[in-house]
Amino acid sequence: MPSFFVTSFASIDNFTTDKTLYNTDDSIVISGSVDYDPDLFSIIVQIITPDGSGLAHIDSIIPNNDGTFTKIINAGGPTWSENGYYTIKLSYGGNLEKSIEYQKSSEYVPPTSTPSTSTPSTSTPSTSTPSTSTPSTSTPSTEINDSFTENPKMILFGYPAFDKSPQYYIDRYNNEPSYKSWFDNQFPSYDLKQVVGYQSTHVENFPAFDKSPQYYIDRYNNEPSYKSWFDSQFPGKTIHSILGFSTYVPDWIKDYARNWAIGEISDNEFMIGLDFMIQNKIIVISDIDSSSFSTENIPSWFRNTSHWWAAGLISQQEFINSIKYLIQEDIILIK
């Protein structure tokens, strides 16, 4: 298949951070300018871990028409697992890197940590089929649309956590003023239940707010009778989509795929990014374990597939199916 990539003449002029040393929960303010190109929708931001083998954060910045930009990123969380120097890499036509130092605050308790007083129950419930009566309509809906809409569960990586129930976050929000302030600052356009809760379904109290996403995922994967019940109740749906973790992905990820397809991101960087997206359930590939990936020979047709998906010429499911094919054929290797 022929390639049809467009050469870009955009570039990163410069960028700065407001500090050189950050602690847990600090805001990293990234500012700078680019040689603006209206054909490039956004700047890709990667924050690379000290050993260079993983990502602490990946995001996008939409530059202004004059090329200036500013982005605020929160330091800390499960992907900021070690102290040291992290590399901030911006990609927009060309690439530009700078380093910051990160030190974890010993007294800090991250939002996803398990509290001593409100740990949700993980005991195995009755295996009887849940009721199918009509539920209360108070739970906000996150029904997936045909076109992409921002999913609040995908805004902040690792939040909400798969092993924490919605009730855990509701309790923290109601009882800890500092946590309420943090949430309201991170999600100014959403209320708490839209971010941490579940969509309503035709089955009463399913999913239940006192059960974590991981609880339901484990039951679906490990109990054939439960899987059969779920599939009969929600034909054409996945357990992840019912829990609100849909496989629709933000536009910046398409930019990431496009930049790799035209050679502005290396194969290794793309594999790290793909691993990060799958690990954080931004892309969900059924029947594939969430592990680390590596490859030495990505076929050229997959670059075209990535470019076509980024351009909207093929569906997201076709793109996901192509990744699954590469894994099944041992072209992309699971470590």
Side-chain angles (χ1 to χ4, degrees):
M1 296 182 181
S3 299
F4 54 95
F5 306 139
V6 178
T7 301
S8 170
F9 298 98
S11 63
I12 303 284
D13 293 334
N14 194 20
F15 76 90
T16 60
T17 56
D18 59 322
K19 298 189 296 184
T20 57
L21 173 62
Y22 295 89
N23 298 113
T24 306
D25 211 28
D26 282 350
S27 293
I28 304 171
V29 181
I30 304 173
S31 301
S33 63
V34 299
D35 182 11
Y36 182 71
D37 183 344
D39 292 329
L40 288 181
F41 178 74
S42 62
I43 305 163
I44 299 297
V45 183
Q46 299 177 74
I47 301 183
I48 304 167
T49 54
D51 64 2
S53 64
L55 292 176
H57 192 82
I58 185 170
D59 214 322
S60 69
I61 306 172
I62 300 176
N64 300 315
N65 290 342
D66 63 359
T68 60
F69 63 86
T70 300
K71 182 73 174 182
I72 300 176
I73 295 172
N74 192 65
T79 54
W80 297 70
S81 58
E82 57 185 311
N83 297 329
Y85 288 91
Y86 287 68
T87 300
I88 299 178
K89 180 176 182 178
L90 303 190
S91 300
Y92 186 81
N95 300 313
L96 191 60
E97 300 180 4
K98 294 189 177 182
S99 294
I100 59 170
E101 186 176 4
Y102 172 71
Q103 295 289 331
K104 290 187 286 186
S105 301
S106 58
E107 71 277 5
Y108 175 76
V109 179
T112 55
S113 62
T114 303
S116 58
T117 58
S118 60
T119 303
S121 170
T122 58
S123 58
T124 303
S126 168
T127 58
S128 59
T129 302
S131 166
T132 59
S133 59
T134 303
S136 166
T137 58
S138 59
T139 305
S141 172
T142 57
E143 185 67 24
I144 300 172
N145 297 320
D146 290 336
S147 59
F148 173 76
T149 56
E150 183 179 54
N151 185 343
K153 293 184 187 296
M154 302 298 188
I155 294 175
L156 187 61
F157 296 118
Y159 184 90
F162 271 59
D163 62 350
K164 299 294 185 293
S165 72
Q167 194 60 51
Y168 161 76
Y169 292 111
I170 293 171
D171 290 343
R172 291 202 67 179
Y173 187 87
N174 292 334
N175 299 317
E176 301 178 29
S178 61
Y179 183 82
K180 181 179 185 300
S181 177
W182 173 86
F183 178 90
D184 291 343
N185 180 63
Q186 292 292 325
F187 301 95
S189 301
Y190 297 94
D191 64 42
L192 181 68
K193 289 184 179 180
Q194 285 178 302
V195 179
V196 305
Y198 301 130
Q199 64 180 344
S200 59
T201 72
H202 67 279
V203 180
E204 184 178 11
N205 200 35
F206 178 83
F209 270 40
D210 62 349
K211 297 292 188 293
S212 70
Q214 197 63 55
Y215 164 81
Y216 288 112
I217 293 169
D218 288 344
R219 287 203 68 180
Y220 184 85
N221 291 334
N222 300 319
E223 300 179 29
S225 61
Y226 190 84
K227 181 180 185 298
S228 177
W229 170 84
F230 177 91
D231 292 342
S232 68
Q233 292 293 319
F234 304 98
K237 299 287 187 179
T238 67
I239 189 67
H240 288 91
S241 67
I242 291 298
L243 296 171
F245 295 88
S246 69
T247 58
Y248 282 81
V249 297
D251 285 339
W252 64 262
I253 295 180
K254 289 190 175 184
D255 288 338
Y256 190 82
R258 181 188 295 110
N259 286 350
W260 171 72
I262 63 178
E264 293 177 359
I265 291 177
S266 70
D267 288 355
N268 183 61
E269 288 176 303
F270 179 75
M271 295 309 299
I272 292 173
L274 176 62
D275 180 36
F276 185 84
M277 288 183 274
I278 293 175
Q279 292 285 348
N280 287 276
K281 304 297 189 296
I282 299 168
I283 290 179
V284 178
I285 305 177
S286 60
D287 304 322
I288 297 296
D289 291 334
S290 294
S291 303
S292 296
F293 303 101
S294 66
T295 184
E296 294 181 355
N297 187 23
I298 300 177
S300 59
W301 63 259
F302 185 59
R303 290 184 184 273
N304 282 331
T305 299
S306 300
H307 193 279
W308 292 336
W309 172 62
L313 301 177
I314 63 173
S315 70
Q316 179 180 296
Q317 191 57 54
E318 289 173 297
F319 176 67
I320 290 174
N321 288 344
S322 67
I323 298 174
K324 187 174 180 179
Y325 170 81
L326 293 176
I327 294 171
Q328 291 172 331
E329 294 297 311
D330 292 332
I331 298 170
I332 293 178
L333 303 177
I334 299 177
K335 294 182 181 178

